[in-house]
Amino acid sequence: LLLVGALRGVAAGDASEPAAAADLAGSRTEPLLRKGGGASGANLTNRIGEVAVLDGPLEVTTLFWNVHWQCSVAASGASGACKDRAASALVDLVRGAKARIVATVELSDGMSSPVDLSTRGLDDWAHAGGSCEPPGGGGGDSAALAFAPEWQVLSSGGGCLRSDFDTRAFAVARVAPPAPVAGCASLCVVAIHAPHSEITKGDEEVARVCGDSVQRCTVAMGDWNVPASGVAPLWSALIGGDLPNLAVPDERTCCFPESTHYGEFDHLVTNIPGTKDLGFEVMPYQILEENPQQQHKPVSVRIALPAAGR
């Protein structure tokens, strides 16, 4: 069991701060699709194009995927069609999972202009992109969020997480959910591609976009480049507020080909009190005909956010 915050079973070398602990069900011997406990899914229709109408917790399905830059810029054997094939595969995954919030990493036009999924089949979805162009050139990075029509984007932004060669991108949005969440006038949602070292910038942009929502009304998802036990320092550096009480999954998600890469990097993390993990799916690598070097596995996580007044 993983404890985020108190962090029992911290990876060697991690020094995370104390936080409210939450046991995460599931071990690495379980199937990739794990059903979580907590609120029933019976209250949520959650089909593409439909607004969820709830009489209890707000159940939200998310999907996040680091496509990796080689596909977007046709490098390392990927063809010029790789980016478009990845975008099409992602939209199919979103529809199959009935996801309502999507985060992408390095699915971009060039290195740093994130693809807007509302132009790729997710009609009427809202886009919030984050671009990172490091000083002096040398590439770039991108992250983006997409929200189904029942989610209202109130403000958004993004940028770089460092100022050197290890910089990566993030995107952030303050949103009004389709049903009130306890203790939260709005939610702060972050798509993250964490650097391999510390986060040294980006916190001012998150504060500008989200304001007080960072305190205990934030959900962040994407490629953290650390196991779930190591996310707390990265969270504190970028988001602040209360430390996370939930981080899922903690499964191998990196990278293609697995003969040369290993990582448990892709997680949904939140500090919203009372959030319940309803299950996740770590999906197979996609578009393998493109030889998608360092691609991560797409991940879908379903959570239940506590209803206001309950």
Side-chain angles (χ1 to χ4, degrees):
L1 295 179
L2 165 72
L3 298 181
V4 176
L7 300 177
R8 184 158 50 112
V10 173
D14 288 335
S16 303
E17 302 176 49
D23 285 349
L24 307 185
S27 71
R28 292 177 190 142
T29 61
E30 290 183 306
L32 290 181
L33 178 59
R34 174 176 58 75
K35 303 237 183 237
S40 166
N43 292 331
L44 183 60
T45 301
N46 203 19
R47 297 194 182 105
I48 292 291
E50 293 186 4
V51 175
V53 179
L54 305 172
D55 58 5
L58 174 61
E59 298 180 12
V60 183
T61 300
T62 66
L63 195 146
F64 41 100
W65 186 23
N66 183 351
V67 174
H68 230 264
W69 61 269
Q70 292 92 331
C71 181
S72 288
V73 300
S76 302
S79 78
C82 189
K83 175 186 65 180
D84 292 336
R85 288 177 174 171
S88 178
L90 176 57
V91 170
D92 287 344
L93 292 175
V94 170
R95 290 175 173 150
K98 300 182 174 64
R100 308 309 279 165
I101 300 176
V102 178
T104 62
V105 172
E106 293 189 343
L107 178 61
S108 57
D109 298 318
M111 290 293 289
S112 59
S113 181
V115 168
D116 181 349
L117 294 178
S118 71
T119 69
R120 299 301 186 107
L122 296 184
D123 300 340
D124 300 321
W125 284 50
H127 169 79
S131 298
C132 177
E133 298 184 8
D141 201 50
S142 72
L145 291 160
F147 296 90
E150 67 270 17
W151 291 77
Q152 181 185 2
V153 176
L154 305 174
S155 57
S156 65
C160 296
L161 295 172
R162 291 180 63 88
S163 299
D164 61 8
F165 69 94
D166 192 31
T167 192
R168 300 290 190 275
F170 73 99
V172 57
R174 185 170 68 90
V175 298
V181 174
C184 298
S186 59
L187 302 184
C188 182
V189 183
V190 178
I192 186 170
H193 186 199
H196 290 271
S197 51
E198 296 177 345
I199 290 174
T200 59
K201 61 184 299 186
D203 56 321
E204 292 183 358
E205 177 72 349
V206 172
R208 180 191 70 81
V209 170
C210 290
D212 290 342
S213 295
V214 300
Q215 295 302 319
R216 56 200 330 244
C217 296
T218 299
V219 178
M221 66 195 81
D223 175 8
W224 295 80
N225 270 315
V226 292
S229 60
V231 302
L234 298 169
W235 178 284
S236 294
L238 179 61
I239 298 165
D242 290 356
L243 284 170
N245 51 52
L246 180 69
V248 286
D250 196 23
E251 303 279 342
R252 182 177 186 175
T253 56
C254 169
C255 301
F256 181 86
E258 291 190 347
S259 58
T260 55
H261 302 285
Y262 185 92
E264 298 162 352
F265 291 161
D266 299 85
H267 324 291
L268 177 145
V269 186
T270 184
N271 67 355
I272 301 175
T275 300
K276 295 187 181 301
D277 166 22
L278 300 183
F280 64 81
E281 182 179 4
V282 177
M283 300 173 177
Y285 298 112
Q286 304 292 308
I287 54 169
L288 295 183
E289 67 274 12
E290 288 286 350
N291 186 36
Q293 292 294 301
Q294 296 184 291
Q295 182 194 111
H296 291 220
K297 293 179 177 180
V299 179
S300 179
V301 176
R302 195 168 186 229
I303 57 175
L305 302 175
R310 292 175 182 268

